């Protein structure tokens, strides 16, 4: 059966897809979402939310273990993984119901099934018809004015080291473990790898992180990476950088996996109960019928312009499937942008330099804008302000003195270029810096906003003053 009344079909009901659908409905468009698994996608079911629920359990455990320093006696502290998993599951369920409710509230039709673009529509030469393959074998064709591909991504395997869900885990597998391993080898020191390292270490697992690049959290400012490495080492997490694993050397002996790793100065055999491979994500570009269209896929991701439009006029793509910053809030904003473009609103392209990036480890990492090195590469004459949480009363009150705020500014124009935070609640604190960048505020202007005392936000207030050597407490 063909539905000729639809304006937009969104393929994939993840963060990008369902947010796009809501924006489309707000704009008066008739929208449908096709989802082959569960509304909410990776972020809700296999990413942001379940991982942060477990990280929160890890944080509570770590805090309880250090309760004595606060004068609180909590004896015989132990951890119940099953209870933490149940809590995680309940949060996901509640939010999943919320997304279902929103689809109904906005009259978005949700089609369960797997969608493929059929090429230029049989009803309209400019649009892409979409065939939905349902689980019961039935199929259905929709013929919208425009299609948004929001099919997301999946964990990338390391060639020669396939996921088996037992010894070699993806982040999807790790979220479903029923037992903690005695030791965990994490391949990949990006945001996902470092979050898992922090969490599992708090759960009492012996953790080693192997990163091929010269530093962990390589997308962050070098000072943040260096300090995070130091903190992880202090927490007895072993971090090997510039280290290459040899997948061919992988062996399972009894309950233990072994894998050879080579760094600049030596090769060694690492042993662990399990291995978590966190080396990035592959966009879901296959089996979408894109070959029948003019959509261009390059370096594994769909190519789009500033309004998220592909080379095929009526097909747009958003979220992880277009690569770049594979983050939920990016997918959501790209979804809004695509819908506004379809509705003829001519939206401004997204400024990716203004997207906050967060790692929910202990302590947290958050940044927005350019790192010091990026600023120099782009030709800025740079000035930097830095302020430690150790000099912030609230950080000491909270028992979280680790970390600092680093502000990067242009020495000539005085423009704020980037803010980098390592410390407790960094992921909450970064939004003020994000707003400052969007409003083109200078560090001095940020300092004019009075930061209440005592709060962690004072560290940003001091770091922007530090750009001119004017920090009060440093
Ligand atoms: P997805 O969320 O992957 O959704 C795509 C949807 O499309 C899926 O539901 C899929 O079933 C469906 N689909 C695919 N193909 C078809 C088809 N042909 N027909 C019908 N349906 C289809 N991001 C953050 O911003 N913050 C975080 O803290 C964070 N933590 C993360 C932690 C982990 C462990 C992981 C793995 C990811 C994390 N991310 C985080 C990334 C975030 O989850 C993704 O960037 C986000 O989910 C991308 O949204 P999306 O809509 O592009 O794709």
């Amino acid at each position: 059966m063909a539905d000729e009344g639809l304006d937009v079909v969104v393929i994939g009901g993840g963060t990008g897809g369902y947010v796009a659908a809501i924006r489309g409905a707000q704009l008066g468009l008739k929208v449908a979402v096709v989802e082959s698994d569960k509304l909410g996608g990776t972020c809700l079911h296999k990413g942001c939310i379940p991982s942060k629920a477990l990280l929160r359990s890890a944080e509570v455990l770590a805090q309880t273990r250090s309760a004595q320093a606060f004068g609180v006696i909590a004896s015989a502290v132990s951890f119940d993984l099953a209870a933490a998993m149940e809590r995680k599951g309940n949060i996901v369920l509640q939010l999943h119901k919320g997304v279902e409710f929103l689809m109904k509230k906005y009259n978005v039709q949700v089609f369960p099934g797997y969608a493929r673009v059929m090429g230029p529509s049989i009803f309209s030469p400019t649009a892409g018809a979409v065939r939905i393959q349902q689980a019961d074998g039935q199929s259905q064709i929709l013929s919208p004015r425009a299609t948004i591909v929001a099919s997301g991504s999946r964990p990338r395997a390391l060639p020669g080291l396939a996921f088996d869900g037992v010894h070699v885990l993806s982040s999807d597998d790790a979220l479903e473990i029923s037992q903690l391993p005695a030791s965990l080898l994490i391949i990949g020191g990006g945001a996902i790898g470092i979050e898992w390292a922090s969490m599992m270490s708090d759960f009492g697992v012996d953790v080693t992180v192997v990163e091929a690049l010269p530093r962990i959290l390589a997308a962050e400012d070098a000072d943040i990476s260096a300090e995070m490495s130091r903190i992880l080492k202090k927490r007895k997490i072993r971090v090997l950088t510039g280290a290459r694993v040899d997948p061919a050397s992988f062996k399972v002996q009894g309950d233990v996996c072994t894998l050879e790793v080579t760094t600049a100065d030596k090769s060694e055999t690492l042993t662990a109960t399990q291995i978590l491979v966190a080396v990035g994500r592959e966009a879901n570009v296959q089996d979408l019928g894109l070959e029948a269209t003019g959509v261009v896929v390059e370096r594994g991701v769909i190519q789009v312009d500033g309004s998220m439009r592909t080379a095929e006029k009526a097909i747009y793509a958003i979220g992880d499937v277009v690569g770049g910053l594979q983050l939920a809030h990016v997918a959501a904003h790209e979804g809004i942008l695509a819908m506004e473009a379809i509705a003829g609103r001519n939206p401004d392209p997204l400024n990716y330099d203004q997207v906050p990036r967060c790692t929910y480890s202990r302590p947290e990492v958050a940044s927005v804008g350019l790192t010091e090195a990026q600023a120099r590469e782009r030709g800025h004459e740079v000035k930097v302000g830095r302020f430690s949480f150790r000099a912030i009363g609230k950080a000491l009150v909270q028992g979280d003195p680790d970390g600092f705020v680093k502000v990067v500014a242009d020495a000539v124009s005085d423009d704020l270029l980037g803010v980098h935070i390592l410390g407790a609640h960094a992921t909450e604190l970064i939004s003020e810096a994000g707003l400052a960048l969007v409003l083109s505020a200078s560090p001095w202007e940020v300092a004019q906003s009075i930061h209440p005392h005592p709060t962690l936000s004072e560290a940003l207030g001091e770091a922007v003053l530090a750009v001119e050597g004017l920090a009060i407490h440093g």
Side-chain angles (χ1 to χ4, degrees):
M1 190 192 84
D3 185 335
E4 293 178 61
L6 275 173
D7 291 306
V8 189
V9 168
V10 184
I11 299 180
T15 312
Y18 86 74
V19 171
I22 291 172
R23 185 69 190 118
Q26 287 173 342
L27 290 163
L29 300 172
K30 192 171 175 208
V31 183
V33 170
V34 189
E35 172 54 56
S36 58
D37 191 358
K38 288 186 217 154
L39 282 175
T42 304
C43 176
L44 179 51
H45 300 281
K46 298 168 184 172
C48 328
I49 298 300
S51 63
K52 270 79 234 179
L54 292 180
L55 276 156
R56 175 71 182 134
S57 289
E59 186 185 40
V60 171
L61 181 61
Q63 273 179 356
T64 312
R65 286 200 172 122
S66 60
Q68 203 167 349
F70 294 78
V72 177
I73 309 306
S75 53
V77 178
S78 63
F79 175 60
D80 180 350
L81 177 66
M85 287 289 185
E86 191 184 338
R87 177 175 181 275
K88 173 205 80 168
N90 289 339
I91 294 167
V92 170
L93 190 66
Q94 187 177 338
L95 292 171
H96 180 225
K97 283 188 185 149
V99 178
E100 285 181 328
F101 165 78
L102 287 170
M103 294 297 96
K104 288 198 181 95
K105 177 179 166 190
Y106 283 98
N107 284 323
V108 173
Q109 276 180 277
V110 178
F111 291 87
Y114 190 90
R116 289 179 186 84
V117 177
M118 295 172 68
S121 165
I122 44 177
F123 301 105
S124 152
T126 53
V130 171
R131 181 191 291 278
I132 307 171
Q133 192 70 43
Q134 291 160 203
D136 60 7
Q138 305 272 340
S139 71
Q140 186 170 3
I141 295 171
L142 304 178
S143 186
R145 267 198 312 123
T147 299
I148 299 179
V149 180
S151 52
S153 65
R154 59 186 183 284
R156 183 188 300 279
L158 209 56
L161 196 62
F163 297 124
D164 62 12
V166 181
H167 299 105
V168 183
L169 310 184
S170 67
S171 59
D172 293 1
D173 301 322
L175 284 167
E176 302 304 329
I177 53 171
S178 53
Q179 207 182 328
L180 287 172
S183 52
L184 182 67
L185 169 59
I186 300 176
I187 305 177
I192 293 178
I194 296 304
E195 286 182 0
W196 277 94
S198 177
M199 179 208 301
M200 291 304 241
S201 168
D202 277 339
F203 288 156
V205 175
D206 183 16
V207 177
T208 302
V209 178
V210 176
E211 167 58 56
L213 293 172
R215 57 189 176 94
I216 56 165
L217 298 177
E220 298 295 342
D221 190 276
D223 289 351
I224 298 279
S225 295
E227 181 61 5
M228 190 64 183
S229 265
R230 197 191 63 77
I231 291 170
L232 293 179
K233 283 176 194 164
K234 204 172 80 181
R235 288 183 54 191
K236 309 270 186 285
I237 296 171
R238 190 168 180 221
V239 178
L240 299 174
T241 50
R244 297 231 156 243
V245 297
D246 173 12
S249 69
F250 172 70
K251 287 195 193 83
V252 181
Q253 290 164 334
D255 286 344
V256 174
C257 310
T258 63
L259 193 61
E260 270 173 40
V261 59
T262 306
T263 55
D265 32 76
K266 62 172 180 174
S267 288
E268 65 177 299
T269 303
L270 299 177
T271 58
T273 319
Q274 284 177 318
I275 297 174
L276 169 63
V277 179
V279 294
R281 298 188 52 89
E282 254 175 278
N284 291 327
V285 290
Q286 296 85 358
D287 199 18
L288 288 170
L290 298 179
E291 319 71 54
T293 70
V295 174
V296 177
V297 176
E298 255 174 40
R299 293 179 303 278
V301 295
I302 297 179
Q303 304 297 304
V304 288
D305 66 13
S307 36
M308 312 314 294
R309 185 183 254 182
T310 68
E312 185 76 51
K313 222 172 150 199
I315 302 181
Y316 293 70
I318 59 163
D320 282 9
V321 78
V322 303
L325 290 173
Q326 290 181 314
L327 295 169
H329 41 288
V330 172
H333 276 262
E334 288 174 345
I336 290 169
L337 212 148
M339 271 303 176
E340 294 192 345
I342 291 167
R345 287 226 166 174
N346 255 340
D348 288 334
L350 211 148
N351 182 346
Y352 291 92
D353 283 346
Q354 294 176 347
V355 173
R357 308 163 293 259
C358 298
T359 303
Y360 297 77
S361 43
R362 190 171 64 80
E364 293 183 344
V365 175
S367 60
V368 64
L370 305 182
T371 65
E372 186 178 344
Q374 285 169 338
R376 290 189 197 285
E377 275 160 28
R378 293 200 196 175
H380 293 280
E381 200 178 305
V382 167
K383 54 184 177 179
V384 166
R386 201 178 143 132
F387 201 86
S388 167
F389 279 108
R390 256 168 228 289
I392 294 294
K394 183 68 181 287
L396 301 187
V397 167
Q398 294 289 106
D400 290 317
D402 279 336
F404 59 89
V405 177
K406 175 173 175 179
V407 173
V408 180
D410 186 298
V412 180
S413 68
D414 217 23
D415 286 340
L416 180 64
L417 300 175
V419 174
H420 309 273
I421 309 179
L422 172 70
H425 304 289
T427 62
E428 303 292 340
L429 298 173
I430 200 64
S431 291
E432 181 187 357
L435 181 64
L437 274 185
V438 168
L439 297 179
S440 307
S442 67
W444 181 83
E445 283 167 324
V446 177
Q448 301 318 297
S449 159
I450 296 173
H451 295 83
H453 177 75
T455 62
L456 297 174
S457 74
E458 288 174 281
L460 178 60
E462 291 276 26
V464 285
L465 286 173
V467 172
E468 301 301 343
L470 295 175
I472 300 296
H473 297 91

